[in-house]
Amino acid sequence: MSDIISAAWFAEKITNRTKRGIAMETSALVRAGVLPLGVRLPAIRDIAYELGVSPATVSEAWSELRQQKIITGRGRNGTWVCGERFVAKPERLASSGNYGAGSIDLTLAVPDPALLPELAQAMAHGASATGTNSYERSRIVPELREAAEKTWPYAAEAFLATNGGYNAIYTLLHALVRPGSAVAIEHPTAMRLLDILEDIGVVILPVQCDEQGPLPWSLQEAMAHRPAAFLFQPRIHSVTGRSVSVERFGALGDILEGSGTLIVEDDGTADLSPDAPRSLGGRFPDRTIHIVSYSKTLSPDLRLAILSSTAEIIGQIQSYRSFSSGWTSRILQGATAWLLNQPSTWETIARAREHYRERCTGLAAALRARGVNVENGSGLALWIPVESEPFALVTLAARRIAVNPGSKFSILPSHHIRVATSMLTDQRDAVADAIALAHKL
């Protein structure tokens, strides 16, 4: 085949001539190799003529394929089949660097191993969990469900154990949300959530936030686009460290009332938060998916989270999981259940909560003393305003301090850096001095 195909040849391959049909069948042609990577596509007007549709229909199909990273280019420069979609990688996460010995790496908001429970007894107990060594695609072992329900924020109909919080979100979005749909999500948000949404090929609708959580007026604007889902973090936001207030929960619920939008609550730091668990599940039990991850409270190596929803929604998610692992290790589920039932675990979590709070607020106070206007956080990171992200990154790098640019956590323009504080046990003053220099041009 030549580097440029004819519109007539292309039109012969397309049977469904709706916007969605053109997009789906073009994607199938690329996946099958009928449209090779790098081939140039005909002009939109020529394709529209051969298909007997309007140029707007083809243009909208092409827009969907660009979002899915199947084609690239536009306008007079032409459009090509590209290979990005077929070498999928999380662009934001993949761009994280290895900063070497001697650097202060404040890019990862991860738990301090010294503040996690011991796993030996938990793992020994997990080996005797219900159903161990069975190939039955079970959703959650009874002992884990029973342990989780003690602190669950609403009376959920069904539960599912997954291989971590991001695995839960990745799986449920693939199971329930079609490419090309719209998804509303907080601005800013976790970079891995944006990676997942971009990989699926959805339209991302950023919802502005303040110190109490997503702003009602901004969610109202997003709802005008009829999003398939609204995804937010109810406690200790992974970027800003803020939690959604009780009053804001009510206001968000009022806006979501009467819609069909799925409500996805990502509680990634769980009981490291000083606030009680919160959910809209009691108000919208038919379309709320509440996720609690235990990676930051118990251990990242447990690779375990639990999500709740209706039996029907859980069934759809579990059906999609059958393409891969099918179930989460019952040994790890049993170990998690054992930990959740130990009073010593909750003492460890309470101690960790206080240490993380002190590290986060300590850096915030040191920055304010140096003229940087930053709010306290209660989580694992600070969201710090800067005049120029590139200048801030270069200034900090020159002092061997690595942080993340705010642009990794947003699809909107950003003038922030995200500084992880969870492992900042010393060198606070040196870090504060450097950030103060990086704060302004």
Side-chain angles (χ1 to χ4, degrees):
M1 180 181 293
S2 65
D3 290 339
I4 303 177
I5 63 172
S6 72
W9 179 92
F10 177 80
E12 289 176 356
K13 305 294 186 291
I14 303 298
T15 58
N16 184 339
R17 302 190 173 191
T18 64
K19 174 192 73 174
R20 178 58 59 82
I22 295 168
M24 291 180 64
E25 293 190 16
T26 302
S27 175
L29 291 172
V30 175
R31 292 181 184 278
V34 177
L35 285 175
L37 303 183
V39 72
R40 183 170 178 172
L41 297 171
I44 286 176
R45 64 179 182 276
D46 295 336
I47 293 175
Y49 174 79
E50 294 291 344
L51 290 174
V53 299
S54 72
T57 299
V58 179
S59 179
E60 290 172 359
W62 265 210
S63 178
E64 184 172 321
L65 293 175
R66 285 191 191 94
Q67 291 167 4
Q68 297 178 45
K69 299 182 180 178
I70 293 173
I71 64 173
T72 188
R74 64 181 69 235
R76 294 183 179 180
N77 294 325
T79 303
W80 289 266
V81 174
C82 66
E84 295 179 38
R85 175 68 178 177
F86 306 99
V87 188
K89 65 178 181 179
E91 296 291 345
R92 290 171 172 79
L93 184 65
S95 63
S96 298
N98 184 349
Y99 303 100
S103 297
I104 304 175
D105 186 356
L106 303 179
T107 61
L108 300 175
V110 295
D112 185 339
L115 299 176
L116 294 170
E118 293 291 333
L119 292 182
Q121 285 184 273
M123 294 301 291
H125 177 85
S128 61
T130 302
T132 301
N133 292 328
S134 168
Y135 266 85
E136 179 187 356
R137 287 169 170 76
S138 60
R139 299 179 180 183
I140 188 170
V141 298
E143 51 263 48
L144 180 57
R145 173 170 179 160
E146 182 180 345
E149 282 186 304
K150 294 176 183 177
T151 57
W152 212 255
Y154 73 105
E157 182 179 26
F159 289 80
L160 179 68
T162 68
N163 303 328
Y166 287 119
N167 175 259
I169 292 169
Y170 180 87
T171 305
L172 76 87
L173 289 175
H174 274 81
L176 304 173
V177 176
R178 288 186 175 185
S181 301
V183 172
I185 191 168
E186 294 161 305
H187 163 72
T189 192
M191 64 173 127
R192 290 183 69 184
L193 295 181
L194 292 176
D195 278 337
I196 290 169
L197 293 175
E198 289 174 350
D199 179 64
I200 294 173
V202 301
V203 177
I204 301 173
L205 304 174
V207 177
Q208 303 278 0
C209 299
D210 63 9
E211 66 279 357
Q212 295 188 59
L215 286 160
W217 67 263
S218 188
L219 178 59
Q220 186 72 66
E221 288 186 353
M223 292 300 291
H225 298 274
R226 298 184 179 181
F230 170 46
L231 173 55
F232 73 106
Q233 300 175 43
R235 293 194 294 175
I236 303 191
H237 193 276
S238 63
V239 181
T240 66
R242 302 167 187 160
S243 297
V244 182
S245 68
V246 173
E247 296 78 11
R248 185 60 53 82
F249 257 92
L252 297 176
D254 291 343
I255 292 168
L256 292 162
E257 188 81 50
S259 73
T261 298
L262 287 172
I263 302 165
V264 183
E265 300 169 334
D266 172 27
D267 193 355
T269 49
D271 291 296
L272 291 179
S273 170
D275 298 317
R278 294 172 187 158
S279 175
L280 289 169
R283 184 170 178 179
F284 306 108
D286 60 321
R287 53 192 173 98
T288 295
I289 304 172
H290 187 79
I291 304 163
V292 175
S293 170
Y294 297 100
S295 292
K296 292 181 174 64
T297 51
L298 302 183
S299 170
D301 275 316
L302 288 172
R303 308 309 305 143
L304 199 131
I306 299 174
L307 64 82
S308 69
S309 194
T310 65
E312 180 181 358
I313 288 175
I314 294 293
Q316 289 178 270
I317 298 170
Q318 177 66 9
S319 179
Y320 179 81
R321 293 183 84 202
S322 296
F323 286 112
S324 56
S325 60
W327 74 91
T328 292
S329 166
R330 285 176 280 264
I331 294 175
L332 298 180
Q333 290 188 59
T336 302
W338 187 89
L339 286 167
L340 292 176
N341 286 324
Q342 303 304 307
S344 60
T345 299
W346 296 98
E347 293 170 4
T348 299
I349 292 173
R351 183 169 63 253
R353 183 190 308 128
E354 181 57 26
H355 278 290
Y356 292 138
R357 185 201 64 78
E358 190 279 330
R359 293 171 189 179
C360 195
T361 59
L363 180 59
L367 288 170
R368 286 195 295 271
R370 291 160 173 80
V372 181
N373 183 22
V374 62
E375 298 178 10
N376 282 338
S378 57
L380 309 181
L382 282 176
W383 185 238
I384 301 172
V386 294
E387 287 189 359
S388 166
E389 288 185 7
F391 175 78
L393 294 176
V394 169
T395 302
L396 292 169
R399 288 154 183 81
R400 300 187 65 79
I401 298 172
V403 301
N404 274 315
S407 56
K408 280 194 173 186
F409 306 92
S410 173
I411 63 169
L412 299 177
S414 174
H415 299 282
H416 290 81
I417 54 174
R418 205 237 11 207
V419 179
T421 58
S422 56
M423 302 291 286
L424 190 60
T425 56
D426 55 17
Q427 298 181 296
R428 177 188 297 165
D429 287 337
V431 170
D433 287 341
I435 293 174
L437 289 173
H439 176 240
K440 290 187 177 182
L441 288 167

